[in-house]
Amino acid sequence: MDPPSPDSIQPLSKRDAQQAFIKYASEKCCYSTKPAEEGVITLMETFDTYRYCLETFTETRTMERSQKPYFGEKIDTEQRTPPGKWEIPVNAPDFFHEGRHEVEVPHTSSVKGESPACPAVGLEDCGVCNGAAEVRCFVCLGRGRIRVFTVLIVSWHNNRDQHTVEQFSGLKMSKLDKVPGRMMFTDTGDMVHPVRNFSDPAVVQTSESFLRKHQKNLQSSKTCILKQRQTIELLPISKVTYEWREESHVFVVYGRNFKVSAEDYPAACCSCCSLM
């Protein structure tokens, strides 16, 4: 599936840029709002960029031996062939939601006449008084016998990789990590195909690279891929030049929620807010 063209995205208006700038300044404890309110915008440059994300939802199955105190209950003995780990039905959670589940494997139980920690009477030497008395064994709970069986451990994990294409507005890339963008493309399937015919070749290359990486690293005899999802978000970025008191300054408006970065704000009474 080819993603749509971003040509229909409207650029940020001067009015919206100034309103975002005023809001930014008003929320800083040591900023005067006069530069934001009185500054005259002289230039607006667009540096829109894209954030590509690939999610691969996997299921991993492992088996290990476990044990419990035996209370005389009927057991599913080892006299029949137990199923393989991928033959046991387990309900997975909703796709892309992580989880863990344990289930006892059929036909794997046996009873041991004594626990590994105590004789058959279910007592062991006390570790506090160095054996001067006996206490109930914590393994068999004093029963003297344990049930040994195999447990299937199933875990679901959402493996996520994302990449934001480099932009040259002067905005630090780290500021884009958590801001919401405009969703342009979503593709979900058992196995998705690389993005094709997108306007930014860096997105195409990232899609191909991430898919190769996930298919190589996330499939094994213990792990299988259940679902994949890839998305492309547009991150709007506008570099705004304005004049205030005959001097030129710059601020950047970015993200769908109009976040602002203004590292050279001209009316700050201290430097603490400018670092935020």
Side-chain angles (χ1 to χ4, degrees), residues 8 36 43 84 90 97-98 111 114 125 146 155 168 175 179 196 201 205 227 233 241 264 267 271:
S8 59
L43 178 65
V90 178
H97 289 77
E98 299 192 350
V111 175
E114 60 183 40
D125 291 340
I146 58 173
S155 58
F168 303 98
K175 290 184 177 292
V179 297
R196 302 293 185 192
Q205 294 170 6
K227 214 74 171 177
E233 292 175 272
T241 303
D264 68 339
S271 61

Side-chain angles (χ1 to χ4, degrees), residues 45-49 165-173 175-176 235-241 250-254 261 263:
E45 301 172 88
T46 298
F47 292 85
D48 293 347
T49 190
V165 178
E166 185 73 40
Q167 44 77 34
F168 303 98
S169 66
L171 181 71
K172 294 179 180 178
M173 292 292 290
K175 290 184 177 292
L176 296 172
L235 300 175
I237 301 172
S238 295
K239 182 178 180 180
V240 184
T241 303
V250 170
F251 67 92
V252 179
V253 183
Y254 61 98
S261 175
E263 296 187 0

Side-chain angles (χ1 to χ4, degrees), residues 150-171:
T150 300
V151 172
L152 172 67
I153 301 172
V154 187
S155 58
W156 295 275
H157 183 63
N158 192 35
N159 306 269
R160 179 186 175 95
D161 273 316
Q162 73 175 33
H163 172 70
T164 302
V165 178
E166 185 73 40
Q167 44 77 34
F168 303 98
S169 66
L171 181 71

Side-chain angles (χ1 to χ4, degrees), residues 176-191:
L176 296 172
D177 289 345
K178 295 183 179 180
V179 297
R182 298 174 185 172
M183 189 63 66
M184 296 186 61
F185 174 71
T186 301
D187 179 24
T188 303
D190 295 339
M191 298 285 282

Side-chain angles (χ1 to χ4, degrees), residues 40-76:
V40 177
I41 295 177
T42 58
L43 178 65
M44 293 186 63
E45 301 172 88
T46 298
F47 292 85
D48 293 347
T49 190
Y50 303 98
R51 179 164 58 210
Y52 173 85
C53 178
L54 174 64
E55 297 170 276
T56 298
F57 186 60
T58 58
E59 178 175 305
T60 299
R61 296 191 173 201
T62 58
M63 289 185 175
E64 65 180 37
R65 295 294 280 174
S66 186
Q67 60 187 29
K68 289 182 178 180
Y70 179 60
F71 295 96
E73 68 273 15
K74 185 178 179 180
I75 64 170
D76 187 4

Side-chain angles (χ1 to χ4, degrees), residues 25 33 39 46 48-49 60 65 77 85 122 138 140 145-146 160 171 189 191 211 215 268 270 275:
T33 58
T46 298
D48 293 347
T49 190
T60 299
R65 295 294 280 174
T77 68
K85 61 176 175 283
F138 74 92
C140 69
R145 291 189 293 174
I146 58 173
R160 179 186 175 95
L171 181 71
M191 298 285 282
L211 281 167
Q215 291 169 7
C270 69
L275 297 176

